[in-house]
Amino acid sequence: MQKHSKPTLKPGLLALVTFLPFIGFFSILDQPAGYDESVYDFLFRNVLTHVDPERAHHMSLTALRALDTAGLGSYFAEMYGTAPDPANVLGLRFPNRVGLAAGFDKNGSAIRALARLGFGHIEVGTITAHSQPGNPKPRLFRLTDHEAILNRMGFNNDGARQAVFNIRAELKKLRVLPESRRPIVGINIGKTKVVPAEDAVSDYATSARLLSPLADYMVINVSSPNTPGLRDLQAIDTLRPIVDAVRAEADEAVRNPRSTLGHVPLLVKIAPDLNDQDILEVTDMCIDAGVDGLICTNTTINREVLSGKDKELAQAEAGGISGRPVADRSLEVLRLIRSHTDALTLVSVGGIETAAHAHERLAAGASLVQGYTGMIYRGPGWASQITKGIRHA
């Protein structure tokens, strides 16, 4: 395994480093545009890249929550706010079509703080029935030449029961926001690593029973490459029982769903590395099982999407790649599924960096778009910039 140098910044400076992007943003509040991506880009390239990626992530999330708790959320709203551009999808009214993909807020502990950044929906997780530490560190790497991330986090989270406590508290906090700006909250669930494959159905069912009462929509994640055997659950014979069990638990737990569909909308997140025939088979099974939509796609394990030093690093490390390198395949999968059926709502994620990219996905048949890596490289104004761009397209 390739060795990696430790961060060059001393630990005592990390807190300051975490707050620097926000300090930079506050300094330009009086500018007409309200947000200058070049400020973030300078800080990211020259400061944040010297901090271990996972540590930077945790400290940034902590800083964002602290600033929101301290009453500075109104500043975020001023900087990143955009006029509502509502969309009715999955029987729910989304403030806009741009969402935060699962993986950023794994435990559902920063929903309101992230809502200040202009997201129309926030997908928390991936959450497993039981708490787990994830894979050994280091497990998160920047591929800066490709504006990509390599991760093998392994569903590190505090478990479904703690997530219930966190999400319930965050949903109460959302009540202070104008109704037109309250994001839809999705909950993404996965298999606990130590649970054997033959017990996967009951594991997913436990998460669904606990979490569905808090979810505007639910997502079954069987496509992460970082839990051994998880992607095998995408096979029709193993995926169908999971879908049926999650649907049954959600229907039992939620008698008055918020969606006008009459149930908690259920989506399945698929991998970009499935061949086209397998994708269509999964699609047909989801239609037959009453799944409401697909999220396409998760990270890729294909190293041929990279070149140069980024490829060398990725070949030496296990994990999935997100960001720009997955964009082409994500769009291909979206077009493939939409050409095959109109029966499912499609959410497109993977390599969406600009409003033009988002508009392309919407034109190809997506009802919603999501991002995570795009925000890492483009800054906290990413969602509001894309929303504005879509509205003016």
Side-chain angles (χ1 to χ4, degrees):
M1 181 176 292
Q2 182 173 317
K3 293 183 178 180
H4 301 276
S5 59
K6 294 182 178 180
T8 58
L9 292 181
K10 295 180 180 180
L13 296 177
L14 288 176
L16 176 60
V17 167
T18 301
F19 280 93
L20 278 175
F22 300 105
I23 294 171
F25 298 143
F26 290 141
S27 71
I28 58 169
L29 272 175
D30 59 344
Q31 294 187 14
Y35 171 72
D36 185 352
E37 187 178 301
S38 65
V39 175
Y40 178 86
D41 184 68
F42 175 83
L43 291 168
F44 179 83
R45 301 285 178 180
N46 294 283
V47 181
L48 294 179
T49 52
H50 294 281
V51 182
D52 172 75
E54 186 169 353
R55 192 167 191 178
H57 170 85
H58 285 303
M59 295 192 72
S60 295
L61 194 62
T62 299
L64 188 61
R65 289 181 61 199
L67 291 169
D68 181 52
T69 302
L72 297 175
S74 60
Y75 288 102
F76 291 142
E78 182 178 348
M79 293 167 65
Y80 310 123
T82 181
D85 188 19
N88 293 313
V89 180
L90 296 168
L92 299 164
R93 187 173 178 81
F94 289 71
N96 61 64
R97 296 183 184 271
V98 182
L100 179 63
F104 195 87
D105 186 4
K106 294 178 179 295
N107 293 302
S109 61
I111 296 173
R112 189 181 70 175
L114 290 165
R116 306 283 195 181
L117 303 183
F119 290 104
H121 67 282
I122 295 170
E123 191 172 306
V124 302
T126 297
I127 298 168
T128 54
H130 306 283
S131 63
Q132 56 184 29
N135 293 321
K137 300 177 182 179
R139 54 193 181 181
L140 185 64
F141 309 90
R142 300 182 186 97
L143 306 173
T144 54
D145 288 350
H146 292 77
E147 295 200 2
I149 290 175
L150 169 66
N151 96 83
R152 55 166 178 269
M153 302 298 287
F155 291 166
N156 55 305
N157 74 105
D158 295 335
R161 287 172 176 80
Q162 180 61 44
V164 167
F165 177 83
N166 296 343
I167 297 170
R168 184 178 289 130
E170 288 296 307
L171 293 178
K172 289 181 180 178
K173 292 180 183 178
L174 286 179
R175 295 173 187 170
V176 305
L177 302 181
E179 188 172 358
S180 63
R181 297 183 183 275
R182 293 177 198 168
I184 294 299
V185 177
I187 300 180
N188 183 304
I189 59 175
K191 187 183 80 67
T192 306
K193 183 177 181 179
V194 298
V195 171
E198 56 267 27
D199 295 328
V201 172
S202 62
D203 190 62
Y204 277 95
T206 297
S207 294
R209 181 170 60 255
L210 293 169
L211 294 166
S212 58
L214 301 174
D216 289 317
Y217 69 87
M218 295 284 294
V219 180
I220 297 173
N221 187 348
V222 287
S223 53
S224 169
N226 301 318
T227 296
L230 186 75
R231 285 191 167 188
D232 294 340
L233 299 179
Q234 292 177 113
I236 303 302
D237 292 344
T238 52
L239 179 56
R240 178 62 186 259
I242 294 172
V243 169
D244 290 343
V246 170
R247 167 68 78 204
E249 291 291 348
D251 288 348
E252 178 66 24
V254 185
R255 298 303 177 92
N256 296 297
R258 290 175 284 280
S259 170
T260 59
L261 296 179
H263 58 260
V264 178
L266 179 62
L267 297 90
V268 173
K269 189 167 187 176
I270 62 174
D273 305 311
L274 291 172
N275 65 49
D276 288 359
Q277 184 58 41
D278 287 341
I279 289 172
L280 294 180
E281 289 179 2
V282 169
T283 299
D284 288 340
M285 185 281 296
C286 286
I287 295 171
D288 185 64
V291 170
D292 299 290
L294 293 173
I295 298 182
C296 44
T297 62
N298 213 318
T299 59
T300 181
I301 58 173
N302 179 14
R303 269 45 180 170
E304 296 307 311
V305 297
L306 300 172
S307 61
K309 65 180 183 180
D310 284 349
K311 184 175 183 178
E312 291 178 8
L313 189 155
Q315 288 176 328
E317 303 289 352
I321 299 164
S322 62
R324 184 182 297 169
V326 79
D328 288 347
R329 180 55 179 165
S330 179
L331 181 57
E332 284 179 1
V333 172
L334 171 65
R335 287 172 169 162
L336 173 69
I337 297 172
R338 182 50 76 220
S339 67
H340 182 69
T341 182
D342 290 324
L344 295 170
T345 294
L346 301 183
V347 181
S348 187
V349 57
I352 298 174
E353 300 176 334
T354 67
H357 294 156
H359 187 267
E360 183 177 37
R361 304 298 177 93
L362 295 173
S367 297
L368 303 168
V369 295
Q370 294 180 343
Y372 174 170
T373 306
M375 184 177 72
I376 298 300
Y377 281 93
R378 301 286 173 143
W382 176 84
S384 62
Q385 287 185 319
I386 289 187
T387 300
K388 292 174 184 177
I390 291 173
R391 188 169 61 247
H392 296 142

